[in-house]
Amino acid sequence: MSKTILLIIGIAVFALAVQAQGETQMKGSGVVQAELNGLQITVDENTGAILKMSYPGPGVMLDAGPERASVLDLAYPIDTFEPLRLQPKRSQGAVVTKGADTLTISWPKLGLSRPFTVQGDVQAEVVFKATSDGTSVIMKCKIVNNSQNSVKQVIFPDFSGLLPFAGEDKTMFRC
């Protein structure tokens, strides 16, 4: 083999090793980051809650600490506590999956806002998908209620930590 081919192979192996190390550090950091059509999304890898979103131009549009972070919120009243909620920030074991043009967050069991015992569970899945126009991102949410309790309200998207990035008078959120 020529020295040029060996050098190219060496650079490729080094680049793959650096990339793999970066992914390992990212996973160990407690967050998963994804970019969809320029939108940077930072997700808590354990709870699945959205910690940060930014986009070139406006910059940081959402910034929430783990205690405020969200993406959806469900009203889940029970006889002994009417205002009970199901929330990602109260959940453990979220599954965050990055695809080429998608970010999927799944919760096998959404966490309760208070320490009550309920029969069954409520599962959820949120998908962010980059569109072919190169600028938009579509969001969708699926809720599966495997309990005997009713889900009375679903707030989606629930973007706690939304910032007035264009000033309070000019910042608008449209769905």
Side-chain angles (χ1 to χ4, degrees):
M1 262 192 217
S2 75
K3 290 181 182 179
T4 304
I5 293 173
L6 287 175
L7 178 62
I8 291 171
I9 292 171
I11 291 171
V13 170
F14 176 74
L16 288 173
V18 168
Q19 180 181 3
Q21 181 183 14
E23 289 175 5
T24 302
Q25 289 172 351
M26 181 74 67
K27 260 193 157 172
S29 68
V31 299
V32 175
Q33 293 183 330
E35 182 179 330
L36 302 171
N37 283 343
L39 178 66
Q40 294 278 341
I41 305 170
T42 304
V43 179
D44 182 302
E45 74 176 343
N46 185 37
T47 67
I50 305 292
L51 297 169
K52 192 171 192 175
M53 288 196 318
S54 63
Y55 191 77
V60 177
M61 300 182 302
L62 181 146
D63 194 2
E67 68 286 344
R68 289 187 54 218
S70 189
V71 68
L72 69 130
D73 186 294
L74 285 68
Y76 191 68
I78 58 175
D79 291 337
T80 54
F81 192 69
E82 185 74 21
L84 188 63
R85 311 295 295 183
L86 296 173
Q87 303 165 319
K89 67 184 174 187
R90 309 279 186 210
S91 304
Q92 301 292 314
V95 178
V96 183
T97 309
K98 292 188 330 183
D101 63 350
T102 60
L103 174 67
T104 303
I105 310 166
S106 301
W107 295 268
K109 181 178 182 178
L110 282 169
L112 298 166
S113 62
R114 299 287 192 278
F116 287 97
T117 302
V118 295
Q119 297 297 316
D121 57 53
V122 177
Q123 302 171 345
E125 180 180 81
V126 169
V127 178
F128 292 82
K129 180 170 178 38
T131 62
S132 60
D133 70 4
T135 59
S136 303
V137 176
I138 295 172
M139 300 176 289
K140 66 180 180 176
C141 179
K142 177 181 175 182
I143 306 293
V144 178
N145 187 353
N146 295 316
S147 75
Q148 295 179 355
N149 294 354
S150 295
V151 172
K152 298 290 186 180
Q153 177 190 47
V154 176
I155 301 172
F156 175 77
D158 181 26
F159 286 149
S160 295
L162 194 62
L163 301 173
F165 51 86
E168 287 188 28
D169 295 341
K170 295 184 180 175
T171 300
M172 295 174 25
F173 178 71
R174 298 185 308 187
C175 291

